[in-house]
């Protein structure tokens, strides 16, 4: 009988060594220790054993049972650890692998220019203000010294929504808004970038474009301040070698008024196709704030003076980045837009 127990133990040891998964281990456990398990059946035969041998056989049986139980527990532990290890390995993240490229959008060239201008003027103590795109005739024209029926209204063909409301044709509309909003009539220093709209229908103009307006009101403001400011503005944006040329012009809300040209950055003023062989590119409208405008918007022209300027941001962005067609700016072509991320300008 002892020999048989030994046999069972050996068989068990051989079998458990072959096992490599938890399910087979459970089956093995049932096979030996279950109700009809080999060892259980053997224990039941104890009754037939000669009484004098029972203690020895009994002890042997218990020993074997304990051994089988502890082997199973140990094997179970080993298998579970192996399983966990395998899981960890299969889920391992290799941080050195190249990642799937996430597409990041790029800043629109117009916004780049706007941000650069804002940074510059904020550094000179200006505030950046906003105005409505759906504007009233009053703010877009009347408060800028352009009463109804004024011939200069023809310079800006407009989209009227009603007889009172229109899409603003110029950011100059914020001049009057800023002056009126400033209740204590203290000095003003603002810029206002934003969208503007005109009823244009030729190849080089778009019905929607962008401008930036500048307005300064204070005591003792002279044309020299305007010139100095625009020089800093244009040199910062287009290069330190840029020169400015002031040509007399007419705007109803400034007196005197100027068209301001910058020296062509492509040919440095020598003459090329970009500047149509003139060496100059027309870029800004500017002038000293008209006394009527000051008066209409609550400022005493005897005490205060000021200057204002306005420029088209689309053209500025085109010159700055060498964009040949304005329509590119509005086509949303990612191939075009993403180029500016690589440009260190
Ligand atoms: N608003 C004018 C235009 O759109 C430009 C301008 C602004 C002129 C400020 C003088 C002063 O043409």
């Amino acid at each position: 009988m002892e020999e048989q127990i030994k046999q069972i133990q050996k068989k068990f040891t051989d079998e458990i060594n072959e096992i490599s998964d938890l399910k087979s281990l459970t089956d093995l456990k049932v096979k030996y220790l279950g109700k009809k398990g080999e060892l259980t059946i053997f224990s039941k035969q104890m009754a037939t054993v000669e009484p004098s041998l029972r203690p020895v056989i009994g002890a042997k049986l218990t020993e074997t049972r304990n051994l089988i139980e502890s082997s199973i527990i140990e094997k179970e532990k080993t298998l579970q650890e192996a399983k966990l290890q395998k899981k960890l390995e299969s889920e391992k993240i290799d941080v050195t692998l190249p990642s799937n490229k996430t597409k990041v959008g790029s800043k629109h060239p117009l916004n780049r220019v706007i941000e650069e201008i804002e940074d510059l003027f904020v550094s000179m103590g200006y505030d950046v203000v906003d105005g409505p795109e759906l504007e009233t005739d009053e703010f877009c024209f009347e408060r800028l010294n352009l009463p109804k029926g004024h011939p200069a209204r023809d310079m800006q063909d407009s989209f009227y929504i009603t007889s009172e409301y229109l899409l603003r044709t110029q950011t100059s509309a914020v001049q009057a808004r800023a002056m009126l909003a400033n209740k204590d009539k203290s000095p003003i220093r603002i810029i206002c970038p934003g969208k503007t709209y005109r009823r244009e229908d030729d190849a080089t103009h778009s019905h929607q474009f962008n401008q930036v307006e500048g307005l300064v009101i204070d005591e003792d403001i002279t044309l020299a301040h305007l010139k100095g400011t625009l020089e800093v503005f244009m040199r910062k944006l287009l290069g330190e070698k840029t020169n400015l040329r002031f040509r007399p012009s007419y705007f109803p809300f400034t007196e005197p008024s100027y068209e301001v040209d910058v020296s062509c950055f492509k040919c440095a003023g020598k003459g090329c196709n970009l500047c149509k062989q003139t060496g100059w590119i027309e870029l800004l409208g500017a002038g000293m704030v008209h006394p009527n405008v000051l008066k209409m918007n609550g400022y005493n022209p005897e005490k205060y003076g000021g200057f204002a300027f306005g420029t088209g941001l689309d053209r500025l962005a085109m010159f700055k980045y060498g964009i040949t067609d304005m329509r590119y700016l509005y086509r949303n072509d990612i191939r075009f837009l993403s180029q500016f991320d690589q440009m260190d300008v």
Side-chain angles (χ1 to χ4, degrees):
M1 199 134 173
E2 252 189 283
E3 194 47 40
Q4 277 172 301
I5 297 174
K6 246 194 209 151
Q7 285 290 316
I8 291 181
Q9 194 175 317
K10 179 159 185 320
K11 211 172 118 228
F12 169 80
T13 317
D14 287 348
E15 282 178 28
I16 200 170
N17 282 342
E18 292 292 307
I19 279 180
S20 57
D21 65 286
L22 286 160
K23 165 92 179 53
S24 320
L25 188 67
T26 317
D27 292 346
L28 188 76
K29 191 174 173 183
V30 174
K31 186 173 170 195
Y32 284 89
L33 305 177
K35 264 191 199 150
K36 292 178 184 157
E38 292 187 22
L39 203 68
T40 318
I41 287 170
F42 210 86
S43 309
K44 282 179 185 159
Q45 291 170 13
M46 273 300 277
T48 64
V49 173
E50 205 182 307
S52 63
L53 287 177
R54 277 184 201 168
V56 186
I57 304 286
K60 194 73 203 157
L61 265 176
T62 313
E63 188 191 314
T64 306
R65 174 172 276 274
N66 288 346
L67 188 118
I68 289 181
E69 273 173 359
S70 60
S71 305
I72 287 176
I73 290 171
E74 202 157 299
K75 184 80 180 186
E76 196 178 354
K77 230 168 96 188
T78 324
L79 287 178
Q80 250 155 8
E81 264 167 27
K83 193 176 162 194
L84 179 69
Q85 197 57 35
K86 212 166 141 198
K87 197 169 170 216
L88 284 177
E89 228 138 78
S90 70
E91 289 172 9
K92 196 154 84 181
I93 297 169
D94 183 352
V95 291
T96 65
L97 276 178
S99 61
N100 291 334
K101 277 241 170 354
T102 14
K103 275 213 174 111
V104 180
S106 48
K107 214 177 269 176
H108 194 282
L110 274 173
N111 286 332
R112 284 172 190 273
V113 171
I114 290 174
E115 279 177 22
E116 195 175 327
I117 294 172
E118 286 180 354
D119 283 351
L120 171 68
F121 279 94
V122 165
S123 80
M124 298 197 290
Y126 285 66
D127 286 332
V128 179
V129 303
D130 235 349
E133 287 172 31
L134 183 60
E135 191 47 285
T136 57
D137 187 272
E138 178 190 355
F139 280 97
C140 199
F141 296 128
E142 282 165 53
R143 285 188 175 275
L144 293 176
N145 208 24
L146 267 138
K148 288 205 166 76
H150 194 291
R153 285 191 177 211
D154 285 351
M155 296 199 308
Q156 301 180 358
D157 270 337
S158 320
F159 290 115
Y160 273 89
I161 309 297
T162 65
S163 58
E164 194 193 339
Y165 282 97
L166 74 157
L167 294 174
R168 69 176 172 195
T169 55
Q170 49 183 355
T171 44
S172 298
V174 296
Q175 288 191 26
R177 288 194 174 273
M179 286 185 236
L180 280 180
N182 198 10
K183 293 272 185 288
D184 62 2
K185 302 303 163 205
S186 54
I188 290 178
R189 245 180 290 171
I190 55 152
I191 58 159
C192 169
K195 293 192 188 78
T196 44
Y197 304 82
R198 287 186 203 175
R199 207 167 57 78
E200 309 271 12
D201 51 12
D202 63 272
T204 58
H205 290 89
S206 159
H207 62 281
Q208 183 215 297
F209 53 105
N210 290 269
Q211 286 191 330
V212 61
E213 191 81 9
L215 174 70
V216 169
I217 293 178
D218 206 338
E219 291 173 46
D220 304 322
I221 294 290
T222 71
L223 186 59
H225 293 120
L226 172 62
K227 285 187 91 169
T229 305
L230 293 185
E231 238 165 53
V232 169
F233 180 13
M234 289 297 121
R235 287 187 177 155
K236 182 82 191 5
L237 241 82
L238 299 173
E240 287 303 321
K241 294 213 176 82
T242 309
N243 281 322
L244 268 61
R245 180 172 77 172
F246 282 62
R247 278 183 294 114
S249 182
Y250 171 76
F251 297 103
F253 35 92
T254 46
E255 181 60 36
S257 300
Y258 304 91
E259 300 274 359
V260 185
D261 303 335
V262 295
S263 53
C264 179
F265 51 86
K266 193 173 166 198
C267 63
K270 284 188 209 82
C272 66
N273 57 349
L274 184 68
C275 59
K276 301 192 187 93
Q277 311 305 327
T278 64
W280 295 98
I281 292 169
E282 183 189 318
L283 218 51
L284 301 110
M288 306 309 289
V289 179
H290 197 292
N292 285 352
V293 175
L294 288 169
K295 224 184 299 173
M296 259 187 282
N297 298 296
Y299 276 81
N300 176 5
E302 301 298 326
K303 186 176 173 206
Y304 282 111
F307 66 76
F309 60 86
T311 182
L313 289 171
D314 307 75
R315 264 161 70 77
L316 208 54
M318 286 171 72
F319 291 138
K320 189 172 166 63
Y321 296 118
I323 300 165
T324 48
D325 187 331
M326 189 190 277
R327 287 167 294 193
Y328 279 130
L329 293 172
Y330 296 102
R331 270 191 193 144
N332 281 342
D333 186 334
I334 291 171
R335 290 167 305 177
F336 166 76
L337 295 172
S338 63
Q339 292 173 55
F340 300 93
D341 271 350
Q342 283 126 44
M343 275 171 97
D344 191 27
V345 277

